[in-house]
Amino acid sequence: MSILDYDWGLIWDNRDALLGGLWTAASVAIVGLLISLVFGLLLAVLRSGPKPVAWIALAYINIFRGVPALVSVIWVYFGLALLLGVRFTVFQAGVIALSLLYSAFFAEIFRSALQAVPPGHTEAGWALGMRTVQIFFSVTLPQAVKIALPNIGSMFIGMVKDTSTFTVIGLLEVVRVTQNLVATTFQPFVLYTAAAIIYVLAAFAIDLIFRLIEGAYVRPPLGFIGRWLRSRQQREIARVVERLRTASPLTVPMSAVK
């Protein structure tokens, strides 16, 4: 049987179902990404804190970096339901499972990015009279995010692919939709090939989006966004100059010295 003998028209006929599964997978991954970034940054800060807190953060990171996505979603969907008496939807369970796993990965990404920022920038902020929290959010964190962006994009691709394991709880993402179609059409080769192509194209699209974000972050774009970024930068420079003027010692006229 030749490869051309398969019914490849099934891909086009079921495009709405397959794209709907992709949208479900992307939705779970996007919400999980936002939550993971926040908790990952928090874990990275705690990881560099005092020893008792740093040990707890390190234990969390090492545990959840070693847990498979399939096990994590089963723990959340079935285990927490029995333990806490809370019944999560498949969407909620998928988001929680991804957040638990990837916050550990993002913690290490943010930790290495924060350590890559030159300490002289923090010292310069102190010299200008800035508070530690202000230095972190205005000086250190923006530079760390720029360093971490490529790795964040790679992790997001992994999050989208890991949603394929959530078929075990019935999440209607790409693989689950493909399984349902295979059960009625008996064309696994065609439909799983379509699923693979969808994931590959999604990976290319995500990579392109993060490259554009990284380029805009490093080189502010033209147009309205560029003008807004430049005006904001000019205001920041003006504030720093004004702070330097007020912090400089006043010169006393020689006639006043007796």
Side-chain angles (χ1 to χ4, degrees):
M1 184 176 183
S2 172
I3 192 173
L4 299 177
D5 295 332
Y6 290 102
D7 187 7
W8 295 100
L10 287 173
I11 299 176
W12 180 255
D13 295 339
N14 296 283
R15 62 189 183 278
D16 292 337
L18 292 170
L19 292 177
L22 178 61
W23 172 248
T24 300
S27 301
V28 173
I30 290 172
V31 178
L33 174 68
L34 297 177
I35 298 174
S36 300
L37 288 174
V38 174
F39 281 97
L41 180 60
L42 178 61
L43 286 169
V45 174
L46 295 177
R47 178 76 174 81
S48 304
K51 283 187 177 181
V53 177
W55 289 341
I56 296 174
L58 179 61
Y60 178 94
I61 292 170
N62 288 335
I63 289 173
F64 281 95
R65 281 195 304 176
V67 175
L70 177 62
V71 176
S72 177
V73 77
I74 290 175
W75 281 355
V76 173
Y77 191 70
F78 297 105
L80 289 182
L82 295 175
L83 183 63
L84 303 178
V86 178
R87 186 66 177 179
F88 296 109
T89 64
V90 291
F91 186 92
Q92 293 170 341
V95 169
I96 295 173
L98 286 181
S99 301
L100 290 174
L101 294 179
Y102 280 87
S103 59
F105 290 100
F106 285 131
E108 288 300 287
I109 292 174
F110 278 124
R111 185 180 66 86
S112 60
L114 290 171
Q115 291 178 348
V117 177
H121 295 186
T122 302
E123 297 170 359
W126 286 334
L128 293 173
M130 300 174 68
R131 297 185 299 272
T132 302
V133 176
Q134 187 179 5
I135 293 172
F136 179 79
F137 285 103
S138 300
V139 179
T140 307
L141 184 58
Q143 298 181 72
V145 170
K146 181 173 66 175
I147 296 171
L149 264 177
N151 290 327
I152 293 175
S154 298
M155 288 292 104
F156 183 59
I157 293 174
M159 294 176 78
V160 174
K161 292 194 300 182
D162 277 348
T163 58
S164 62
T165 63
F166 297 166
T167 56
V168 69
I169 62 172
L171 183 69
L172 282 174
E173 44 70 58
V174 179
V175 173
R176 183 68 176 184
V177 171
T178 303
Q179 290 175 343
N180 293 340
L181 293 174
V182 168
T184 56
T185 62
F186 304 102
Q187 293 281 342
F189 180 77
V190 172
L191 294 170
Y192 279 109
T193 300
I197 293 173
I198 288 174
Y199 279 117
V200 171
L201 293 178
F204 274 108
I206 293 169
D207 182 69
L208 176 60
I209 291 171
F210 273 87
R211 286 183 184 275
L212 293 175
I213 294 173
E214 184 180 358
Y217 201 100
V218 177
R219 298 178 297 279
L222 301 176
F224 171 76
I225 297 178
R227 290 193 298 270
W228 177 76
L229 290 174
R230 284 191 293 273
S231 64
R232 181 182 177 186
Q233 184 180 27
Q234 290 172 357
R235 290 195 299 269
E236 290 292 335
I237 293 174
R239 279 197 288 267
V240 171
V241 171
E242 184 64 26
R243 191 180 295 114
L244 284 173
R245 288 176 179 174
T246 57
S248 60
L250 298 174
T251 57
V252 181
M254 293 300 297
S255 59
V257 181
K258 297 183 178 177

